[in-house]
Amino acid sequence: MIELLVTVFSTTFFVTVIRTSTPLLLATLGGLIADLSGALNVALEGMMLVGCLTAVIVSVFAPWYVAVLAAILAGALLGAIMAFFHLRLKADIILVGFAINILAAGGTVFALTMATGGDKGTSINLTSKAVPAVDLSFLGLIPGIGNFLVRMLSGHSLLSWLAALLVFAIWYFLYRTPWGLWLRGVGEYPAAPEAAGIPVNAIRTWSLLVSGGLAALGGAQLAMFNYIGFTRDMTAGRGFIALGAVLLGARHPVGALMAALLFGVFEALAVVMPGLFNWIPAELIRMIPFVVTILALFLFSYRAMQAQRLRSAGH
Amino acid sequence: MSMTTTAELGRQARFKTIRREAGRAISAALIALGIAFVIVLFTSEAPLEAFNVLLTAPMSRPRTIGLWIDDVAKLTVTGLAFSLVFQARQFSMGVQGQVYVGALAASYVALSPLGATWAGIPLGLAAAMLAGALWGFIPGIAKVKFGANEIVSSLMLNYIAIELCNFLVRTNLPKPQAGVLTSNNFPETAVFPALVPGTRIDIGLLFAIVAVLAVWFALYRTSWGLKLRLVGHNASFAEYSGIRSTAIMVSAMTAAGALGGLLGSMFVQGQTYGYLTVLFEGNLAFEGILVAIVARSRPLAVPVVALFYGYLRQGAQLMNLRTDVPSEVIGVVTAIIILLVASSFSLPGRKLWAKVTGRSAIPAGAMETHK
């Protein structure tokens, strides 16, 4: 037990948490944008997966930033497909989302087989690149806490810093700009913005595009930093956990950050625990993020329901 | 108007609906296959041969026909499970998890002393259906009591069930030798007897047929089914008319869970396995989404769709074995069919065809509102 506490309160664990949280946070932010515009995006998982594969394959031939951009575009393209079928052809958004997931699960393996010349499992024989880590070792010059700051803050993925920035940017966009107000209005009660002449469908389309782009950016972090390379189904339910994190974060960007960090902590625990407690079966450790997500979802939904009841009782 | 005329009109309308839906499904499948063909054309060295295998191989030998029919039985059951929850307008995605817990329960029964008696099959089935029902009940009750989104909770339960199965197979169930990830073979009394000797067609097929009839009866000939369909149509209206919609939702998810559990038992107690192994399900459970959507969640249409889709699935497996095209290309076909059938797409040539033949495809009154 002591070893676990020592590990959890170490700076290396903090670094692991940031690493495991970043893909979750990016996908959660993507889910949040779609959810606020009134479209529950169950395709986050598939979009992440396509982001992973696109980033890996493009990075074989191009610099890392081109690969990341390509992943974002691929995710946005999937968002566009969702928007087309949901908004233009009136298909149910959840069914469309699952169709995208099926497309991604099969399509990535198909594309991987083609790219590797027959390997259906991994991209191990492709030399893909990584997202650079941000080196802040100059902080070490600060007397006293400099060393500590370097260990905490240096060496994170560039995309981790971008994700943190995006939390603030999305908050600003949603609550301080007219477009953010429109987006929230469209999700809350579409008839009113429609009557006010706000282009409801255009806003929903853009939300799904951005949602797909963000989820795929999370995928790029996963396949170009957390792991280098692609393995089939490598997202392993992270997109669905992100969907839970949207609900758990009370549909707010800061809440999304908190929820993503919470799930990141448990994923990081699942990373460090096998080394500490080799008597705990690996299967049970792998189960942790899913158990935590479902319990957190139950608890949070229950509390939200209670709050709702209290509020309506007060009227 | 006499009763017979009303019945006659009703029948005509029904046939018209069936014709229209079948036409849409077939055109969606053709479009999807066309797109897949283009992909194969660009990626394969022998695209025509690959497509030939995809479309003809399942019929070629008794053995492959057996594989196909076995798949049809399983696709039917998962399609029924999804149809039940879709009819109640719930989006529980938990069939996969139910399959795993059902298979675990069936395996524990089959490998217990009881498994070696006549009770091996009925008790295994019952245990599997109970376990599946429990796994389906959890997201339902959590939605009703806590307001927890059933999509997220059922998906989490899928992952939990898979890891649970991995864990118990590795550590707890009796095994032929240490280190392998399969259980002992079940005693003969706990394995479904084959209907056609030498193939994988076993009495699981009969269970699937019974399940179709049972779900049809429950949905269209009982008051529970009427309430369920009302809840699915308009939950708040159903609530106003005195139906406890929450109880209906939970019972629909639980019943669907029992079907998922049944599928688990059909997997491990069937001729295909006869033992429990990790990841035995091969992503079949989620194919129920396609089956249910194309069948419009109608129980009697589910086996028909399963028959066609199972053929395609088998064809893809054989194409994977015999040519350079991976079976995963079928995922593209599946996704396109779901997208097209779930949406209000209509064939682009339809209006043109109507003009050419001089018949109006759209009723005159609808024309103005359409534009």
Side-chain angles (χ1 to χ4, degrees), chain A residues 89 92 120 237 283 286 301, chain B residues 89 146 163 170 328 344:
Chain A
L89 296 180
D92 189 294
K120 286 180 117 178
E283 295 90 352
R286 282 201 300 267
S301 308
Chain B
R89 250 202 110 57
F146 312 141
E163 291 297 349
R170 186 172 65 85
E328 279 78 9
S344 63

Side-chain angles (χ1 to χ4, degrees), chain A residues 40 42 45 81-82 85 88-92 94-100 102-107 109-111 113-114 120 232-233 236-238 240-245 247 280-284 286-287 289-291 293-294 297-303 305 309, chain B residues 39-40 43-44 86 89 91 93 138-139 142-157 159-161 163-164 166-167 170-171 283 286-287 289-290 293 320 324-336 338-340 342-346:
Chain A
L40 188 65
V42 293
E45 175 84 2
I81 295 175
M82 280 185 85
F85 278 96
R88 185 66 67 85
L89 296 180
K90 307 288 171 223
D92 189 294
I94 291 168
L95 299 181
V96 173
F98 269 92
I100 297 287
I102 291 169
L103 182 71
V109 176
F110 181 80
T113 320
M114 293 301 148
K120 286 180 117 178
R232 69 183 298 168
D233 297 324
R238 285 182 180 84
F240 297 134
I241 291 181
L243 196 63
L247 305 173
I280 301 182
E283 295 90 352
L284 298 190
R286 282 201 300 267
M287 222 189 261
F290 305 112
V291 174
T293 306
I294 198 170
L297 180 73
F298 287 179
L299 197 71
F300 176 80
S301 308
Y302 179 65
R303 292 201 39 193
M305 209 180 193
R309 273 204 198 120
Chain B
I39 295 173
V40 170
T43 52
S44 168
F86 286 172
R89 250 202 110 57
F91 286 102
M93 296 289 166
I138 297 170
K143 177 170 190 180
V144 168
K145 292 283 175 208
F146 312 141
N149 182 302
E150 81 277 15
I151 303 173
V152 177
S153 55
S154 61
L155 287 166
M156 293 301 119
L157 284 172
Y159 288 102
I160 293 171
E163 291 297 349
L164 192 67
N166 289 344
F167 171 61
R170 186 172 65 85
T171 60
N283 280 330
F286 271 113
E287 312 278 18
I289 299 180
L290 175 125
I293 289 171
N320 188 41
D324 62 345
V325 180
S327 60
E328 279 78 9
V329 74
I330 213 69
V332 180
V333 177
T334 309
I336 294 172
I338 294 180
L339 286 174
L340 290 179
S343 63
S344 63
F345 97 101
S346 54

Side-chain angles (χ1 to χ4, degrees), chain B residues 58-285:
Chain B
M59 284 292 253
S60 58
R61 282 179 220 152
R63 201 185 65 85
T64 53
I65 292 176
L67 291 173
W68 167 36
I69 297 301
D70 179 53
D71 246 21
V72 171
K74 284 167 180 156
L75 286 168
T76 299
V77 176
T78 172
L80 285 174
F82 276 105
S83 296
L84 253 186
V85 288
F86 286 172
Q87 284 239 6
R89 250 202 110 57
Q90 301 300 305
F91 286 102
S92 174
M93 296 289 166
V95 177
Q96 192 183 37
Q98 292 146 13
V99 168
Y100 279 95
V101 291
L104 274 173
S107 304
Y108 273 100
V109 170
L111 293 169
S112 76
L114 279 171
T117 67
W118 59 269
I121 290 172
L123 262 187
L125 267 179
M129 290 180 75
L130 266 179
L134 171 73
W135 223 244
F137 173 76
I138 297 170
I141 197 75
K143 177 170 190 180
V144 168
K145 292 283 175 208
F146 312 141
N149 182 302
E150 81 277 15
I151 303 173
V152 177
S153 55
S154 61
L155 287 166
M156 293 301 119
L157 284 172
N158 286 348
Y159 288 102
I160 293 171
I162 293 172
E163 291 297 349
L164 192 67
C165 178
N166 289 344
F167 171 61
L168 291 174
V169 168
R170 186 172 65 85
T171 60
N172 192 275
L173 282 160
K175 291 195 253 311
Q177 72 209 56
V180 295
L181 293 177
T182 54
S183 76
N184 276 341
N185 284 336
F186 297 168
E188 217 158 278
T189 47
V191 178
F192 294 172
L195 282 183
V196 184
T199 69
R200 284 184 179 174
I201 306 173
D202 55 36
I203 56 167
L205 181 64
L206 301 182
F207 295 140
I209 294 170
V210 171
V212 170
L213 297 174
V215 172
W216 171 81
F217 187 83
L219 274 177
Y220 293 96
R221 291 293 180 273
T222 66
S223 69
W224 177 77
L226 177 67
K227 287 176 190 166
L228 188 147
R229 287 180 292 130
L230 273 176
V231 168
H233 201 67
N234 188 337
S236 42
F237 173 76
E239 194 78 39
Y240 279 123
S241 49
I243 295 168
R244 285 184 54 216
S245 60
T246 53
I248 296 289
M249 286 176 194
V250 178
S251 59
M253 287 199 225
T254 311
L259 286 171
L262 167 69
L263 182 56
S265 150
M266 282 166 61
F267 262 107
V268 292
Q269 292 191 283
Q271 287 288 320
T272 315
Y273 290 102
Y275 55 85
L276 180 62
T277 180
V278 294
L279 303 177
F280 59 83
E281 164 259 8
N283 280 330
L284 182 131

